[in-house]
Each structure stands twice: as C-alpha cells, then as structure tokens.
Amino acid sequence: MKKRIIAFVCAVALMVVAYPTTYGSAIEPEITIISAEIDNNGVFEVIGQVKGVAVGTQVSFLMCPKNAWDTTGRIIESKFKADYIAYIDQVGTGNNGTFIVQGQVSEKWENQTLRFAGASSYGGYYTQTMSVPEISPYDIDIIDNNSVIYGRDAYLVTGAFYNADNIATSIKDGGNRIYYKLGGKWYDLLDPNALDNSFLVSKNAISDSKVEECKPRYYYNMSEKIELNYN
Amino acid sequence: MNKTKKNTGKKAVTGIVAAVVSATLMLFGLNGGDAIEVKYDLVQADKVTELKIYPDEDVSVDIVELYCNGSIVTKALLPTETLKSIPFVFSDLTNLELRLYKEGDVIGVGSFNEDKKLYVAFK
C-alpha cells in the first residue's frame, strides 16, 4: 500500500512538471489516439501512438472532468488535485510508439464527460474527451474476462494482486472453487469434463446465478481491490 | 518458473494452417498471404502462463491479441509485454488464435499446428 501511495505521489509530481511545459504547444513528436473506449463498469482503454519515438518512451496520462481544463485545453492549476483526478497513470510505448492505457473510473464520474490528456517524455501532447456512461453496481458483472474466482475472491489474471499467496488466502476463506471468465461467460474449472481449453465454449458455461451464489467478496482488477455488493 | 517450450523455427508455408487463419483474415477484409512460422516462448508458472511471440522486426507488430475458441482472452504491447492467462487456457494450443496489429489495423492472424508451431498469415 505504501509503495502504491509513493508511486501515485511520484506520478502526480511528474504530471505537475510535464503538463504546463508541454501543454498547448505544437511540439513534435505527434501523439494520436487510435481508439478510446469505456464500458458501463467504468473500465476504459485508450490506445494511442507517439510517432517517431523509441520503444519504452514514457507517456503520462491524466483524466479529469471538463471543468478542470481551461478553454485552451490547459489544466487549471487550482484543480490539479485528487478531487478532480479521475485517473492518472504513466505507461511505456511499444513498437511504432504505440501505447495502451487501461484503467477504471469510479461511479463518482458516471454520466459526466471527462477530458483526458497525455504527454510523452520527448514532448508531444494530446487531449480528447470521453463520456462516462451510468456505472453498473459493483456486482459480479464488473468482473473482466480473463479473471478467475478462487474461493471467495475474483482476480484479473493480468492484475497486480494475482499471486499464489493471495489466492491461497482466498481459497482458505472460501473453499476450493475455481471459476474462470471468458467471453462474458463463467466456466467451472473443477468440472470433471474440464480437461483442456476445448471446454471453454458456451455450452459448458455455468449460469451467472450459480456464480452469485458463492458471493465473491472482492474483485482484484488491474490495480484496485473492489468490494462487491449483492442487494 | 519453468520454461516449458521454446520454438525457434524458420520461415515456412503450411497450407492447412494458412487455410484456417485465412478465414479470420477474411473477417478483416484481408486476402491473407503465406503463413510464416514465428518464434515464441511459453513460460509456465504455478498460476499463470505467459506467451511471448517474436515476429520479424520489419513487420513492426505493436499489439497482439490472444483468442481462445473465438473469444478474446487478453492483449499485449510488443515487444515488451507478454500474453498472460491461466495455464488451462494454453492446455491445447490448437484452440488458440492470435491477431497481430500495427497502428490499429490487423496485419496478421496466427494459429498453432499439431506440432505446436506457430504460423502467422500476414496481410
């Protein structure tokens, strides 16, 4: 937890430095957005490109409500604080300068238009808006594909919390249960017929109600621990 | 962490695999081309398996998506990231498919043959 706080503080400090200096000016290299999507769980994905930079170039990413930006697209300094930050991150580029930002905004931002912006460590700047839909309740529907329920908790396999120690605790608390989500459907991997991945087809899926019966306690996504509700 | 597989094949053309992936290529309006063997590493640990592919640098793939039985599992940014999922997803490689992107466009589709070799049909 302490490491995460330190990382957040460092990221904020970097943004404070980066944004006023790169903002609004036509600095090369050019940054473009290839796609930007958000679902009704608040989970978003932005794929962009910084042209002409090396693999590993750092891209800072900031998402705030529209009223945190001035008319020229500059972040308003007095609003550069936690209450106005919907999401902040820093990612590295791959081939062709391509980068992916994946995250989630809280229900606090539902039905609002957010503006996101970014700057690369070699200069360049982009800004674009994204409308957040009504956010669904935090129940099992928010669990992403490629996630597993072990015992009482759900984990995104690519997430930071997915490790043997955490999984062991979840199984200890909730019993030996392994449900895997793929294509929006759940599969019981302890089913005697689950011999290999050919089992992962719709006809073998279990119902959502069976998953809800076990009342998963937390969902550990990419970087957050989310308490699930059952009202 | 145990490395279970390292495939270091050379370029080749396989009719069967090319036919399979060409069906997906057609979904993207691509004609498909020769299927080329692509190197990969499959690294298995206790709870996770990682697939890393090594397409030629000159094709400049930036994002790769992993599909199992037609459903997307995960994606990764190349050359730095790996495709991660539970070991069960990789239990039969022939049920997997890869879609390779460059600057937002699909430029190749890959699948594994019975010999666990990965072939990609590029645009």
Side-chain angles (χ1 to χ4, degrees):
Chain A
M1 183 64 181
K2 190 175 180 181
K3 285 182 179 176
R4 292 185 61 215
I5 292 171
I6 292 170
F8 179 79
V9 170
C10 290
V12 170
L14 187 148
M15 300 296 278
V16 170
V17 171
Y19 277 86
T21 55
T22 59
Y23 202 156
S25 54
I27 301 172
E28 293 297 334
E30 180 188 359
I31 303 180
T32 56
I33 300 301
I34 294 171
S35 65
E37 299 173 348
I38 187 166
D39 67 17
N40 63 358
N41 296 318
V43 174
F44 70 87
E45 179 185 86
V46 174
I47 297 177
Q49 185 182 28
V50 190
K51 291 182 179 169
V53 298
V55 169
T57 297
Q58 293 299 297
V59 177
S60 302
F61 183 91
L62 176 66
M63 185 180 280
C64 295
K66 284 180 77 174
N67 64 2
W69 308 85
D70 67 19
T71 54
T72 67
R74 181 184 293 270
I75 191 81
I76 298 170
E77 195 171 336
S78 63
K79 293 185 175 177
F80 192 74
K81 50 190 179 183
D83 284 352
Y84 288 89
I85 296 175
Y87 193 83
I88 188 169
D89 201 358
Q90 188 170 8
V91 297
T93 59
N95 288 331
N96 310 312
T98 300
F99 64 89
I100 304 175
V101 181
Q102 294 171 316
Q104 185 174 26
V105 296
S106 72
E107 56 192 342
K108 171 183 177 180
W109 306 106
E110 68 179 349
N111 298 319
Q112 294 192 44
T113 298
L114 300 176
R115 176 170 289 280
F116 60 89
S120 87
S121 50
Y122 285 94
Y125 179 80
Y126 68 86
T127 179
Q128 187 169 316
T129 58
M130 175 181 280
S131 295
V132 182
E134 187 172 334
I135 305 292
S136 300
Y138 286 169
D139 55 22
I140 64 165
D141 289 342
I142 73 163
I143 300 172
D144 298 292
N145 289 316
N146 202 26
S147 294
V148 194
I149 293 174
Y150 287 101
R152 279 200 70 182
D153 302 309
Y155 295 86
L156 180 64
V157 175
T158 53
F161 296 93
Y162 186 77
N163 61 59
D165 287 344
N166 287 341
I167 291 168
T169 301
S170 295
I171 291 175
K172 178 171 171 264
D173 293 347
N176 193 22
R177 176 189 300 111
I178 306 176
Y179 295 158
Y180 177 67
K181 189 173 186 181
L182 177 69
K185 299 183 185 302
W186 288 97
Y187 298 90
D188 181 358
L189 299 191
L190 296 183
D191 185 309
N193 295 314
L195 301 176
D196 62 36
N197 62 10
S198 63
F199 179 78
L200 300 173
V201 291
S202 297
K203 69 177 182 180
N204 296 321
I206 58 176
S207 66
D208 283 1
S209 59
K210 182 172 181 182
V211 179
E212 283 177 340
E213 280 174 17
C214 70
K215 296 193 183 306
R217 177 177 49 181
Y218 297 117
Y219 171 43
Y220 296 89
N221 68 9
M222 190 66 76
S223 59
E224 303 290 333
K225 174 184 177 180
I226 300 171
E227 184 171 6
L228 301 174
N229 300 313
Y230 303 93
N231 296 322
Chain B
M1 187 175 287
N2 300 314
K3 182 174 281 191
T4 58
K5 176 74 181 172
K6 179 157 186 172
N7 197 328
T8 54
K10 296 178 180 178
K11 288 184 176 181
V13 177
T14 56
I16 295 174
V17 174
V20 171
V21 296
S22 66
T24 303
L25 282 170
M26 288 175 66
L27 290 174
F28 297 99
L30 306 177
N31 294 323
D34 291 341
I36 296 170
E37 187 176 355
V38 170
K39 298 176 189 176
Y40 71 93
D41 284 330
L42 201 58
V43 181
Q44 186 168 327
D46 182 28
K47 300 292 183 189
V48 66
T49 294
E50 298 184 35
L51 171 64
K52 186 169 182 63
I53 68 167
Y54 303 96
D56 284 350
E57 287 184 9
D58 56 2
V59 294
S60 202
V61 174
D62 47 40
I63 292 175
V64 58
E65 291 179 338
L66 173 67
Y67 288 76
C68 179
N69 301 322
S71 295
I72 187 166
V73 177
T74 187
K75 67 175 64 171
L77 187 68
L78 297 185
T80 51
E81 296 181 353
T82 59
L83 294 159
K84 294 181 186 177
S85 189
I86 56 173
F88 187 81
V89 164
F90 297 92
S91 53
D92 184 346
L93 295 178
T94 64
N95 291 321
L96 303 179
E97 181 182 281
L98 299 175
R99 294 182 188 172
L100 288 70
Y101 290 78
K102 179 182 178 182
E103 300 178 348
D105 296 321
V106 175
I107 62 165
V109 178
S111 60
F112 296 86
N113 69 7
E114 296 291 342
D115 296 325
K116 299 184 178 179
K117 292 184 176 181
L118 171 61
Y119 288 92
V120 176
F122 284 101
K123 186 176 179 181

